[in-house]
């Protein structure tokens, strides 16, 4: 039986039927010889080809048969820094996280507006060709918005990066400026929100104000939490290289020694479904209960995790606690460059590394981490990340000649340059499939 909205003959524009060897929703079983009906920017029907109404097949709709392909939801990249794309491969993996931060800060200080803009646009192009259709991006240079949004077809949620430790600016002023920026932006496809950068680079007051404004305005937040061992040591034990380095640089540090980084952000009021924690590599026993109990989403970035040689990501425990785990590419500044390899923002590569490090995890679970889990984290469930009636027509197609039961596995191991990609009913990749 076809899964569909009550179908209305179009008043303008023709509906489009996409047929493929396998249609692979994120939350339901694959459909062999499946089809999707797209009308304007939405998915209207998800069904087996044989269940598509005859009137559509015989002329009412435009039909595109993708043939030997998997048709699936576009990927949701849950963490990225598009504006650092041009820093790809600049530094080999550091021995410690605290070696990397000053390098990064020095590079950022030398970059101009046009460096950031060029880098952002280059990164967005990489994501478009490798199947991402929605990206949660951290924006270090908010003056790029909204111009860069218009340069891409991607759905972008830009989280404005907030720090304030080195600048010693008043948290109220930092936040006021960010909120003014967010309020000035209106875009049909993209939106902006807040990212207090990390516990170590922000004051507790900034975190507290973010949490307060977030509740008032019902905003989603992201922050990097418990990324490195040194960050954990700083907050849990008020010691270590990060603690000392920040103290030398004028951070008050009286908020350290009171518990783990997760307990620190929770104390400031950053919790609940609106809060998405990036990394979560170093957790103490109480953190698992806190993350699950407060319904936080966690984003794991496999290639970035490998670059810093962090301890194993606590995946099993998070999944056992039913935490919503998503995958992200992070920036190319934290991906190891091997020989002459061209680094690319490509979520398929992160899936493959993740699958290698976590061989017991089913491909279908990995597929959810790059689709519906991201949609849930960013408050867009039912709109993106799945092939479901009423969702945006954000779709990708990859070549596939195998058995339907092997489709999810094939997705995880796909190299990454998709055959076709559509966002909101508009083709962005795939000139050969879209036809006249
Ligand atoms: Zn990041």
């Amino acid at each position: 039986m076809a899964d569909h909205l009550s179908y209305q003959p179009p008043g303008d524009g023709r509906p489009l039927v996409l047929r493929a060897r396998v249609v692979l929703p994120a939350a339901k079983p694959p459909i062999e010889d499946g089809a999707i009906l797209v009308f304007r920017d939405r998915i209207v029907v998800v069904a087996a080809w044989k269940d598509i109404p005859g009137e559509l097949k015989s002329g009412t709709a435009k039909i595109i048969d993708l043939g030997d392909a998997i048709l699936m939801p576009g990927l949701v990249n849950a963490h990225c820094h598009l504006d650092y794309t041009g820093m790809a491969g600049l530094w080999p993996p550091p021995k410690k996280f605290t070696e990397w931060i000053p390098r990064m800060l020095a590079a950022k200080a030398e970059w101009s507006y046009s460096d950031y803009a060029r880098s952002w646009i280059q990164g967005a192009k990489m994501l478009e060709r490798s199947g991402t259709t929605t990206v949660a991006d951290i924006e270090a240079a908010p003056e790029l918005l909204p111009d860069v949004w218009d340069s891409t077809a991607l759905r972008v949620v830009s989280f404005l990066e907030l720090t304030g430790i080195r600048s010693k600016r008043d948290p109220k002023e930092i936040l006021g400026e960010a909120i003014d920026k967010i309020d000035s932006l209106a875009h049909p496809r993209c939106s902006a929100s807040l990212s207090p950068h990390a516990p170590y680079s922000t004051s507790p007051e900034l975190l507290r104000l973010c949490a307060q404004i977030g509740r008032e305005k019902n905003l989603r937040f992201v922050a990097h939490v418990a990324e490195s061992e040194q960050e954990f040591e700083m907050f849990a034990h008020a010691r270590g290289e990060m603690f000392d380095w920040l103290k030398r640089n004028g951070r008050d540090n009286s908020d350290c020694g009171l518990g783990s980084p997760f307990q620190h952000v929770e104390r400031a009021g950053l919790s609940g479904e609106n809060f998405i924690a990036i990394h979560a590599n170093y957790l103490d026993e109480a953190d698992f209960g806190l993350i699950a109990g407060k319904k936080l989403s966690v984003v794991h970035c496999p290639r970035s995790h490998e670059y810093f040689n962090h301890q194993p990501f606590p995946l099993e425990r998070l999944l056992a606690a039913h935490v919503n785990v998503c995958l992200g590419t992070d920036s190319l500044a934290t991906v190891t460059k091997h020989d002459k390899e061209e680094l690319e923002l490509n979520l398929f590569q992160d899936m493959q590394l993740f699958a290698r490090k976590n061989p017991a995890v089913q491909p279908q679970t990995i597929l959810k981490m790059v689709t519906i889990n991201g949609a849930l984290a960013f408050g867009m469930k039912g709109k993106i990340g799945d092939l479901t009636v009423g969702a945006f027509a954000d779709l990708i197609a990859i070549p596939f000649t195998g058995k339907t039961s092997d489709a999810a596995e094939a997705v995880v191991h796909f190299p990454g340059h998709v055959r076709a990609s559509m966002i909101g009913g508009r083709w962005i990749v795939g000139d050969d499939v879209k036809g006249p």
Side-chain angles (χ1 to χ4, degrees):
M1 185 60 203
D3 176 13
H4 59 83
L5 292 174
S6 59
Y7 172 69
Q8 297 290 325
D12 60 82
R14 272 172 96 197
L16 171 67
V17 177
L18 298 169
R19 180 186 188 183
R21 181 185 185 91
V22 179
V23 165
L24 184 65
K28 288 187 178 171
I31 305 167
E32 194 166 314
D33 191 12
I36 291 174
L37 175 63
V38 173
F39 183 54
R40 294 187 179 137
D41 62 346
R42 304 283 172 155
I43 295 172
V44 187
V45 176
V46 180
W49 169 252
K50 64 179 172 48
D51 293 328
I52 295 291
E55 73 194 71
L56 289 168
K57 291 177 180 169
S58 59
T60 322
K62 176 176 176 174
I63 311 276
I64 294 178
D65 190 344
L66 296 161
D68 285 332
I70 295 168
L71 183 59
M72 60 177 284
L75 307 182
V76 180
N77 180 355
H79 183 56
C80 191
H81 298 255
L82 287 170
D83 50 13
Y84 300 161
T85 305
M87 295 181 190
L90 277 191
W91 311 288
K95 286 201 182 62
K96 291 193 169 168
F97 189 72
T98 37
E99 272 174 33
W100 179 82
I101 302 174
R103 291 177 194 166
M104 183 66 183
L105 292 174
K108 278 174 82 168
E110 284 188 7
W111 268 30
S112 66
Y113 173 91
S114 52
D115 290 325
Y116 281 112
R118 204 177 311 118
S119 197
W120 199 106
I121 293 166
Q122 186 195 5
K125 287 205 172 84
M126 290 177 180
L127 291 183
E128 285 178 5
R129 65 178 179 244
S130 61
T132 287
T133 52
T134 296
V135 58
D137 190 48
I138 307 291
E139 189 50 75
E143 60 274 27
L144 300 182
L145 305 175
D147 293 350
V148 286
W149 286 348
D150 291 331
S151 74
T152 180
L154 296 171
R155 245 176 250 291
V156 186
V157 189
S158 296
F159 291 90
L160 309 192
E161 181 179 274
L162 311 173
T163 54
I165 290 297
R166 290 192 316 153
S167 69
K168 300 202 165 44
R169 285 182 69 201
D170 178 2
K172 277 204 189 75
E173 206 181 297
I174 295 173
L175 215 50
E177 203 175 277
I179 292 293
D180 285 350
K181 180 71 188 176
I182 291 169
D183 288 346
S184 75
L185 296 165
H187 199 273
R189 180 173 28 86
C190 304
S191 62
S193 194
L194 299 170
S195 173
H197 173 260
Y200 61 86
S201 54
T202 51
S203 64
E205 179 63 3
L206 181 78
L207 296 181
R208 198 188 61 73
L209 287 172
C210 272
Q212 189 189 326
I213 290 180
R215 276 192 298 274
E216 284 166 18
K217 291 185 162 267
N218 196 25
L219 290 174
R220 239 67 184 176
F221 288 96
V222 304
H224 303 80
V225 188
E227 180 170 9
S228 67
E229 194 173 2
Q230 291 95 334
E231 179 189 334
F232 186 88
E233 216 184 354
M234 168 172 170
F235 285 96
H237 307 299
R239 65 175 191 226
E241 281 147 311
M242 183 177 274
F243 179 90
D244 294 341
W245 175 68
L246 285 163
K247 197 165 181 196
R248 280 197 306 277
N249 283 278
R251 193 182 189 281
D252 164 309
N253 283 4
S254 60
D255 53 347
C256 300
L258 305 172
S260 71
F262 267 96
Q263 289 149 37
H264 176 80
V265 295
E266 205 265 336
R267 230 181 354 261
L270 286 182
S271 68
E273 288 173 29
N274 284 359
F275 183 51
I276 299 108
I278 318 296
H279 300 307
N281 294 322
Y282 294 85
L283 308 178
D284 75 8
E285 275 306 308
D287 288 343
F288 290 99
L290 186 160
I291 293 168
K294 301 281 180 182
K295 293 193 167 16
L296 311 190
S297 290
V298 164
V299 182
H300 175 50
C301 303
R303 288 191 293 169
S304 172
H305 181 277
E306 184 181 64
Y307 175 83
F308 286 112
N309 195 24
H310 292 306
Q311 74 175 21
F313 177 67
L315 178 78
E316 253 175 58
R317 299 237 6 225
L318 290 171
L319 291 185
H322 304 289
V323 172
N324 184 47
V325 177
C326 318
L327 296 186
T329 56
D330 209 338
S331 86
L332 288 185
T334 54
V335 172
T336 309
K337 185 173 161 71
H338 299 284
D339 302 324
K340 290 186 179 142
E341 176 193 21
E342 285 280 323
L343 294 180
E344 183 181 56
L345 290 170
N346 177 339
L347 198 50
F348 285 100
Q349 291 184 13
D350 288 280
M351 279 191 252
Q352 282 145 33
L353 178 59
F354 180 84
R356 273 206 305 282
K357 299 247 166 162
N358 301 280
V361 178
Q362 294 296 313
Q364 192 62 37
T365 304
I366 302 177
L367 182 64
K368 287 181 180 171
M369 289 179 183
V370 293
T371 53
I372 44 172
N373 293 11
L376 180 67
F378 297 102
M380 297 168 90
K381 189 164 179 253
K383 292 184 183 159
I384 60 164
D386 203 0
L387 303 181
T388 184
V389 173
F392 285 118
D394 292 4
L395 318 162
I396 57 174
I398 66 172
F400 180 66
T401 55
K403 288 191 300 196
T404 303
S405 56
D406 296 336
E409 173 102 38
V411 169
V412 171
H413 294 99
F414 180 66
H417 288 189
V418 297
R419 190 170 150 211
S421 174
M422 171 183 275
I423 297 179
R426 220 183 107 214
W427 293 109
I428 64 158
V429 175
D431 284 344
D432 60 321
V433 302
K434 69 184 177 191

